[in-house]
Amino acid sequence: QVRVVESGGGLVQPGGSLRLSCAASGFTSDNYVMGWFRQAPGKEREGISCISSSDGSIIYADSVKGRFTLSRDNAKNTVYLQMNSLKPEDTAVYYCAASRMSYYCSSWTYDYWGRGTQVTVSS
């Protein structure tokens, strides 16, 4: 069966960095695309960085563009989210997900989800 497991969350001070990892199994990178989402207290889940099925390009939300970077290791079926210059507004539960077909970073297009990892940015 398909499994998606994210890790790497924790507590970090403003301006600091974290790298999240997402290990996937049960499918290949040729058949699925991966994305990162987050949900802050009192807010709906939002897409922050996703791979598009149209051309393989990486989409970033405006709120994280220039600070976050998605990378991948296809041989290991693993994707990463490098988060730099973290702000208190980045505090949220971060989720990794896989989609059979997705052109935009919309949660309803994703089929398999990890359980989430908490990221807290605070002094």
Side-chain angles (χ1 to χ4, degrees):
Q1 70 278 20
V2 174
R3 297 175 67 90
V4 179
V5 182
E6 63 271 83
S7 62
L11 175 65
V12 64
Q13 293 186 346
S17 299
L18 282 174
R19 189 179 76 156
L20 306 183
S21 298
C22 176
S25 61
F27 62 89
T28 67
S29 299
D30 291 337
N31 296 323
Y32 291 84
V33 292
M34 308 294 295
W36 287 97
F37 299 78
R38 70 183 181 188
Q39 187 165 20
K43 300 179 66 177
E44 295 185 352
R45 187 172 300 183
E46 64 171 337
I48 55 173
S49 185
C50 303
I51 302 171
S52 176
S53 294
S54 62
D55 57 2
S57 62
I58 301 173
I59 300 168
Y60 294 97
D62 289 340
S63 59
V64 306
K65 192 172 298 182
R67 300 187 298 120
F68 291 11
T69 302
L70 185 155
S71 61
R72 49 197 150 178
D73 186 338
N74 290 337
K76 296 181 178 180
N77 264 10
T78 301
V79 296
Y80 307 92
L81 185 68
Q82 179 67 47
M83 305 185 294
N84 298 326
S85 302
L86 284 162
K87 307 174 181 179
E89 307 93 89
D90 296 318
T91 296
V93 177
Y94 284 71
Y95 299 88
C96 180
S99 173
R100 291 182 292 109
M101 183 175 293
S102 181
Y103 299 101
Y104 306 97
C105 216
S106 302
S107 61
W108 65 269
T109 64
Y110 283 75
D111 306 297
Y112 307 103
W113 293 82
R115 298 185 67 180
T117 185
Q118 177 71 47
V119 172
T120 302
V121 184
S122 176
S123 299

